[in-house]
Amino acid sequence: MARKKKDNVPVTLSNQELIPSIIGVIDDKEKSSWPLIFLFLFLIGFIVGLPTITNYITGEDNIIDSISENKNNDPGNVNLPTDELQFYDFNDHLVVELDGLSFQNFVVTNDKLSLMIMNNSAAKDYLVAHNLYLELYDSNRTLLQRIRLPHENLSKNTNQTYEFELNDVSDIKQIVIDEKKESDYPAVALNKNSDDEYSLVCTKGEERLVYTFDAEQKLLLIEDVVNFSSTNPLYNQLLVDYRQISSKYNVIEGVTSNLVEVGSGFTVTISLDLKKVDLSNRTVKNTLDNELYYSKDTLGKVVSFELSAMNYQCH
């Protein structure tokens, strides 16, 4: 069936102004720069902290902290690593030069070490002004013994030979001569007598020293007790010497010295009240003339470290 043809319908165009349809809005305002700044700072912090993060992951920080803690808690150690020390092979021909001082003629005889110190150009009080230590090591650089070198004047172009007791003479392979400061001395645990009083006891041979400290480990009192047996070959001379010492000490305020002689020997007890004894006074210090007598407020770690280096057993 034939499809009916539609008539042409006229199209009318509107003259009304076209109104645009809004599909979306584009924000042309400038974006904030803070996110970029934050990202930049984060990247810098990450780069700087990368070594620490790496150490933490691998456990190296724990190892370093453990070594540091062990050094600080061991009275035989100081904070200076051995790779920063100058080691010398120990032999009869060894000569060590240090700031105008010459250390030589190292000789071991009958459990004792002797050496000569020569002052070539340094001031005469160099040994007094510097805490020098002679350290003895085995082939593995394990510390065998630390010896505190003497604190005394040595005039220019003169020399003096000193002798020290040794704990073990068989394994000495290397030595170090090193200056140590109070900050190098490790902390020490003192005996608690009461809430505000602590003590350190140091012994060697016939001598027993008791140091008393306050709660801040500052020295207050010293008691020095020496016993000599009548079998000692030097007994008579020692008795005369200590009688003279007692007479000198008893004229100093704050110092008492008592000598008691019995059939088997004699005992000398010397007490120092450091609140009354002024060791900064040269006359007093020269009269006492004993390097084991420290001034008021000396820290416990100083007494322990230095007496241990003079071969005293301190606990």
Side-chain angles (χ1 to χ4, degrees):
M1 184 173 187
R3 197 172 171 188
K4 185 178 179 179
K5 184 177 180 182
K6 293 184 178 180
D7 294 332
N8 290 333
V9 178
V11 177
T12 303
L13 298 177
S14 173
N15 293 324
Q16 183 178 358
E17 183 180 357
L18 296 176
I19 300 174
S21 298
I22 299 175
I23 300 174
V25 178
I26 298 177
D27 187 2
D28 288 331
K29 290 189 294 183
E30 183 179 353
K31 297 291 184 182
S32 173
S33 61
W34 279 109
L36 289 177
I37 294 174
F38 178 80
L39 179 61
F40 181 73
L41 293 176
F42 175 80
L43 290 175
I44 292 177
F46 179 81
I47 294 171
V48 172
L50 187 59
T52 302
I53 296 171
T54 303
N55 287 344
Y56 179 81
I57 294 173
T58 59
E60 289 180 14
D61 272 354
N62 293 335
I63 295 173
I64 293 172
D65 289 343
S66 175
I67 293 173
S68 177
E69 181 178 354
N70 288 338
K71 279 182 175 289
N72 290 335
N73 292 334
D74 184 352
N77 278 325
V78 293
N79 297 330
L80 193 62
T82 55
D83 57 3
E84 295 183 18
L85 301 174
Q86 176 63 58
F87 285 84
Y88 300 90
D89 292 334
F90 182 73
N91 55 62
D92 296 345
H93 307 293
L94 173 63
V95 177
V96 178
E97 303 288 345
L98 177 65
D99 293 343
L101 296 179
S102 177
F103 301 83
Q104 53 191 282
N105 295 352
F106 292 84
V107 178
V108 174
T109 307
N110 298 327
D111 298 335
K112 292 186 178 181
L113 169 66
S114 64
L115 67 91
M116 184 182 76
I117 303 178
M118 177 175 291
N119 186 358
N120 297 314
S121 61
K124 69 176 184 178
D125 63 346
Y126 189 92
L127 289 172
V128 176
H130 298 78
N131 286 322
L132 296 183
Y133 290 84
L134 170 65
E135 298 179 337
L136 310 178
Y137 292 84
D138 64 11
S139 57
N140 296 318
R141 292 192 175 178
T142 299
L143 180 63
L144 301 173
Q145 185 174 347
R146 181 179 290 114
I147 298 172
R148 185 173 185 242
L149 294 178
H151 277 209
E152 62 181 42
N153 290 328
L154 187 61
S155 300
K156 293 182 180 180
N157 302 319
T158 62
N159 62 76
Q160 180 67 45
T161 297
Y162 301 94
E163 188 174 73
F164 308 97
E165 298 174 349
L166 293 177
N167 298 327
D168 187 356
V169 301
S170 59
D171 295 326
I172 303 174
K173 301 300 181 184
Q174 292 184 307
I175 71 162
V176 168
I177 296 178
D178 185 43
E179 178 181 7
K180 300 193 186 303
K181 302 184 183 301
E182 186 175 304
S183 58
D184 295 321
Y185 295 172
V188 63
L190 302 178
N191 306 306
K192 185 175 182 179
N193 302 336
S194 65
D195 289 341
D196 56 357
E197 184 179 286
Y198 295 77
S199 64
L200 180 72
V201 180
C202 298
T203 60
K204 183 173 73 172
E206 300 87 357
E207 187 170 25
R208 181 177 185 269
L209 290 135
V210 180
Y211 298 91
T212 302
F213 303 84
D214 64 15
E216 296 179 348
Q217 293 201 359
K218 294 182 178 180
L219 187 60
L220 298 174
L221 306 168
I222 302 173
E223 182 180 76
D224 185 6
V225 180
V226 186
N227 292 287
F228 287 104
S229 170
S230 57
T231 59
N232 190 310
L234 301 176
Y235 179 82
N236 291 329
Q237 184 60 52
L238 289 168
L239 183 58
V240 172
D241 291 343
Y242 273 92
R243 278 178 174 161
Q244 294 176 349
I245 289 173
S246 291
S247 297
K248 289 195 308 179
Y249 284 8
N250 280 325
V251 300
I252 301 175
E253 183 182 5
V255 181
T256 59
S257 179
N258 297 316
L259 188 152
V260 178
E261 188 176 8
V262 294
S264 59
F266 73 90
T267 299
V268 178
T269 302
I270 302 168
S271 300
L272 290 81
D273 182 350
L274 298 177
K275 295 187 292 293
K276 300 177 181 178
V277 181
D278 182 12
L279 287 176
S280 63
N281 184 307
R282 180 173 296 182
T283 301
V284 173
K285 190 173 184 64
N286 290 342
T287 302
L288 291 173
D289 190 27
N290 193 324
E291 62 183 348
L292 305 175
Y293 297 166
Y294 291 84
S295 60
K296 183 179 179 294
D297 293 339
T298 299
L299 293 177
K301 68 174 186 175
V302 173
V303 177
S304 176
F305 189 88
E306 295 188 354
L307 263 76
S308 296
M310 289 184 272
N311 221 22
Y312 280 78
Q313 299 298 315
C314 296
H315 60 276

